[in-house]
């Protein structure tokens, strides 16, 4: 599929309506995705990024129908991850002389991944590539947004920022524009993408983002490497400013897993205490084994507090909670208040483990939480309600 974005700039990527898991099986993509590749034509032609490896043949065959492959003068590889570089081996097997413009780290990741000695041209922030007819590409290193190799390419004549993963969303749509999809769905997918992909390096990324926010760029459109093109760039720029500034809504998220229902009873009683103490605060409760991990992380990202519970199981926590906590430790979400609860038969180890992992995730522990020996009775459930109210007071 191909469509014109502005005169001389067209989309030549792949919309993947099927995709439901990505990064192996780590990331859910409920609304599919797209691998966005762009052609920019002046006197010379540049191809910016390509598509994921499984679509390499399809991509090159479709590209042939749009342009003679020997008319592609430059490849710009904004990022080496295979969802954007996966068709380059195929294309460069056919046209090996096309130079590949990328950062120094881009060369490392591309050469490391594909083992090819392509004609790499290393670029730094401010370097330019003139395509003629007023089309000039400017490169901006965007280290850790979200890989060391990442860069962003700016086309000043059209005010287009080719931002690669930044400002992207896993969202299949046609037309592939922000004003052609449900605004709430788009904002959710952009938030989920930010929380699960961009946030691990948010502190480092913030500096780069600030440089983009403050740069004297007359951005009229953002063309990311996944999802819809932002005809209204200020919408996503404003969202990123918010999300990268210790973002928190008036929301508490409680996550638990359970074997025989005890931790569910505790989660709900803690929720009752929260609701009573702060009736207007949004409260969301998830069984981690029955809900999508990435959606739960998105909800924790937007919350000001998170409570996590698991029974003790083999001296540890249940698998879904272990996986969630491991992910939270790596993600470095904005600061949150946090607490733990557990049921147990002979050792409350799960409580200790949850507290430790939440601290390692950078969350501030509030109170001692609640532990229930066997099934929680009314006394323990009252303790849960009191803890919920206490947590709410300390979090406000
Ligand atoms: Fe969409 Fe970092 O790849």
């Amino acid at each position: 599929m191909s469509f014109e974005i502005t005169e001389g700039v067209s989309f030549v990527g792949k919309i993947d309506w099927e995709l439901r898991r990505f990064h192996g099986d780590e990331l859910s993509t409920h609304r599919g995705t797209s691998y966005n590749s762009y052609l920019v034509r002046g006197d010379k032609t540049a191809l910016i990024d390509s598509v994921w490896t499984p679509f390499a043949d399809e991509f090159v065959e479709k590209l042939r129908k749009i342009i003679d492959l020997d008319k592609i003068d430059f490849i710009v590889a904004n990022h080496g991850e295979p969802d954007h570089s996966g068709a380059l081996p195929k294309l460069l097997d056919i046209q090996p002389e096309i130079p590949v413009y990328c950062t120094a780290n881009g060369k490392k990741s591309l050469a490391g991944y594909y083992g090819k000695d392509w004609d790499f041209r290393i670029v730094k922030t401010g370097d330019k590539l003139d395509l003629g007819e007023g089309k000039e590409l400017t490169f901006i290193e965007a280290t850790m947004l979200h890989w060391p190799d990442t860069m962003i390419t700016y086309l000043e004549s059209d005010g287009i920022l080719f931002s690669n993963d930044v400002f992207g969303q896993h969202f299949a749509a046609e037309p592939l524009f922000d004003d052609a999809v449900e605004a709430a769905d788009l904002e959710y997918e952009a938030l989920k993408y930010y929380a699960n992909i961009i946030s691990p390096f948010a502190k480092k990324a913030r500096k780069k983002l600030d440089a983009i926010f403050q740069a004297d760029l007359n951005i009229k459109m953002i063309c990311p490497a996944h999802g819809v093109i932002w005809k209204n760039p200020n919408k996503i720029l404003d969202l990123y400013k918010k999300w990268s500034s210790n973002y928190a809504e008036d929301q508490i998220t409680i996550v638990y897993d359970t074997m025989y229902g005890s931790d569910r009873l505790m989660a709900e009683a803690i929720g009752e205490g929260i609701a009573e103490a702060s009736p207007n605060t949004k409260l969301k409760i998830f069984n981690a084994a029955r809900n999508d991990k990435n959606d739960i992380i998105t909800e924790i990202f937007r919350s000001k507090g998170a409570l996590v519970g698991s029974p003790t199981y083999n001296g540890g926590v249940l698998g879904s909670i272990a996986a969630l906590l491991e992910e939270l430790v790596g993600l470095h979400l904005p600061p949150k208040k946090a607490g733990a609860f557990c049921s147990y038969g002979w050792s409350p180890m799960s409580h200790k483990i949850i507290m430790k992992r939440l601290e390692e995730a950078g969350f501030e522990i509030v109170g001692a939480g609640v532990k229930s020996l066997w099934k929680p009775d009314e006394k323990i459930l009252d303790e849960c309600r009191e803890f919920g109210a206490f947590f709410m007071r300390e979090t406000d």
Side-chain angles (χ1 to χ4, degrees), residues 22-23 33-35 79-84 145-147 149-150 164-166 170 193 197 225-226:
F22 199 50
H23 286 167
T33 194
S34 65
Y35 317 103
H79 176 32
E81 205 168 352
D83 49 330
H84 308 296
L145 272 175
H146 67 128
W147 269 24
D149 68 358
T150 304
N164 198 263
D165 282 318
V166 194
H170 287 303
Y193 193 97
I197 296 171
H226 294 291

Side-chain angles (χ1 to χ4, degrees), residues 136-396:
E136 186 174 61
L137 301 175
T138 303
F139 303 111
I140 304 165
E141 290 167 281
T143 314
M144 302 321 291
L145 272 175
H146 67 128
W147 269 24
D149 68 358
T150 304
M151 72 173 184
I152 288 171
T153 298
Y154 183 57
L155 178 64
E156 187 175 0
S157 56
D158 299 66
I160 297 179
L161 198 68
F162 297 98
S163 62
N164 198 263
D165 282 318
V166 194
F167 310 129
Q169 341 85 46
H170 287 303
F171 201 155
E174 183 163 7
L176 197 61
F177 287 106
D178 54 352
D179 59 358
V181 298
E182 290 292 332
D185 293 347
L186 175 57
E187 185 166 332
Y188 178 79
E189 291 300 338
L191 173 65
K192 180 175 175 179
Y193 193 97
Y194 184 91
N196 286 274
I197 296 171
I198 304 293
S199 71
F201 310 107
K203 279 188 188 141
K204 287 181 185 164
R206 178 70 215 198
K207 277 190 184 170
K208 291 285 171 189
L209 285 170
D210 281 342
I212 294 169
F213 298 149
Q214 288 155 15
D216 192 18
L217 302 178
N218 181 22
I219 299 171
K220 295 180 183 149
M221 196 181 290
I222 292 178
C223 291
H226 294 291
V228 302
I229 291 165
W230 299 94
K231 285 187 194 167
N232 175 6
N234 287 333
K235 172 72 182 173
I236 189 66
L237 288 170
D238 288 345
L239 287 172
Y240 265 57
K241 281 179 202 167
K242 274 200 309 187
W243 294 338
S244 59
S245 305
N246 290 345
Y247 185 72
E249 297 175 18
D250 185 14
Q251 175 173 316
I252 303 292
T253 298
I254 303 176
V255 190
Y256 67 93
D257 197 351
T258 185
M259 294 167 71
Y260 298 111
S262 295
D263 287 73
R264 177 180 63 77
L265 292 172
M266 296 175 79
E268 290 174 358
I270 292 169
E272 286 168 19
I274 289 169
E276 196 166 322
S278 184
N280 293 325
T281 296
K282 259 190 291 174
L283 173 67
K284 297 192 180 171
I285 302 180
F286 299 98
N287 179 328
R290 306 264 168 89
N291 289 274
D292 180 87
K293 182 183 65 176
N294 305 110
D295 288 332
I296 293 173
I297 286 166
T298 308
E299 294 300 340
I300 292 176
F301 177 88
R302 71 187 345 169
S303 297
K304 59 185 178 182
L307 293 135
V308 179
S310 168
T312 298
Y313 182 71
N314 294 338
V317 297
L318 288 177
S320 69
I321 295 296
L324 177 73
L325 291 169
E326 178 68 14
E327 191 100 4
L328 287 175
V329 168
L331 280 171
H332 304 293
L333 297 186
K336 311 285 175 198
K337 301 284 176 70
F341 56 97
C342 83
S343 65
Y344 65 103
W346 53 98
S347 161
M349 270 307 288
S350 56
H351 180 270
K352 191 174 173 186
I353 291 167
I354 293 168
M355 296 277 256
K356 181 168 176 284
R357 295 301 267 161
L358 288 172
E359 274 183 338
E360 288 168 357
F363 293 3
E364 182 188 335
I365 302 295
V366 171
V370 188
K371 302 173 206 168
S372 175
L373 178 60
W374 306 117
K375 187 178 176 185
D377 58 15
E378 267 313 306
K379 183 168 169 292
I380 292 287
L381 292 176
D382 276 343
E383 207 181 307
C384 288
R385 291 181 193 101
E386 282 163 22
F387 175 61
F390 168 79
F391 184 85
M392 202 62 244
R393 285 195 298 276
E394 294 297 309
T395 302
D396 267 340

Side-chain angles (χ1 to χ4, degrees), residues 80-135:
E81 205 168 352
D83 49 330
H84 308 296
S85 63
L88 295 187
K90 171 94 182 168
L91 180 58
L92 286 163
D93 276 354
I94 301 166
Q95 297 294 143
E97 75 287 353
I98 305 176
V100 178
Y101 286 70
C102 61
T103 61
N105 281 322
K107 178 179 175 180
K108 282 184 200 165
S109 54
L110 289 165
Y113 205 85
Y114 300 112
K116 302 279 190 182
D117 188 21
W118 293 327
D119 180 8
F120 291 107
R121 308 287 174 94
I122 306 304
V123 294
K124 294 195 166 107
T125 295
D127 287 352
K128 293 178 188 295
L129 179 62
D130 190 359
L131 305 181
E133 293 190 6
K135 304 279 195 216

